[in-house]
Amino acid sequence: MDFTELFAYKKAYQLAMKLFLVSKKFPKEESYALTDQIRRSSRSVCANLAEAYRKRKYPLHFISKLTDCDAENSETFVWITFAFECEYISENQYVSYKNETLEIGKLIQYMMQHPEKFGSKLN
């Protein structure tokens, strides 16, 4: 299996693309602040999942990279909250994105709790 087949990766990638599209409508003055941050953190979830998957031979490294994924996912939620509070996204969008970050977080947690299901074995 390739990392792009991971359910967590697919969900994280979909959310990152949604946030990219919606952030195109953020005010110009947010270009180097909120817009940049929400794009970077959401994309980092995907990038860290790819790195984690490639380190699955080493369980502690695998789990460590997954904690990075989880942290980036949490950061993404913070930026989503700012976007909502600044009235850049609707309440419906906020709730939808929030739920997606929660689902992604659960998937990442599952991977951390069951590394052996992803080819990571302690010797």
Side-chain angles (χ1 to χ4, degrees):
M1 173 168 41
D2 188 82
F3 68 87
T4 60
E5 300 293 319
L6 295 169
F7 195 53
Y9 179 87
K10 289 178 181 181
K11 289 290 193 177
Y13 188 87
Q14 289 171 357
L15 179 59
M17 291 307 297
K18 287 178 189 177
L19 293 172
F20 169 73
L21 292 174
V22 77
S23 68
K24 286 182 169 187
K25 298 175 185 165
F26 290 178
K28 195 73 173 157
E29 65 266 15
E30 292 286 8
S31 290
Y32 301 105
L34 183 58
T35 303
D36 185 54
Q37 292 292 348
I38 203 167
R39 289 177 182 178
R40 290 167 60 102
S41 65
S42 63
R43 290 171 179 172
S44 285
V45 177
C46 300
N48 281 305
L49 275 167
E51 289 181 33
Y53 192 73
R54 293 294 178 230
K55 292 187 179 235
R56 68 191 185 281
K57 183 177 178 182
Y58 310 100
L60 296 178
H61 288 288
F62 178 67
I63 293 168
S64 177
K65 288 307 294 182
L66 289 173
T67 64
D68 293 344
C69 295
D70 199 33
E72 293 292 344
N73 187 54
S74 294
E75 181 182 343
T76 299
F77 174 67
V78 169
W79 299 125
I80 290 167
T81 303
F82 275 108
F84 173 64
E85 292 294 329
C86 293
E87 300 179 355
Y88 302 151
I89 61 173
S90 70
E91 185 172 2
N92 286 341
Q93 287 172 306
Y94 171 73
V95 170
S96 176
Y97 300 151
K98 174 185 175 182
N99 289 338
E100 289 181 64
T101 61
L102 291 173
E103 182 181 6
I104 292 163
K106 288 176 185 176
L107 293 168
I108 293 167
Q109 287 295 320
Y110 180 83
M111 292 175 74
M112 285 191 285
Q113 292 169 357
H114 303 282
E116 72 284 354
K117 294 190 180 199
F118 301 91
S120 190
K121 296 177 185 172
L122 290 171
N123 293 333

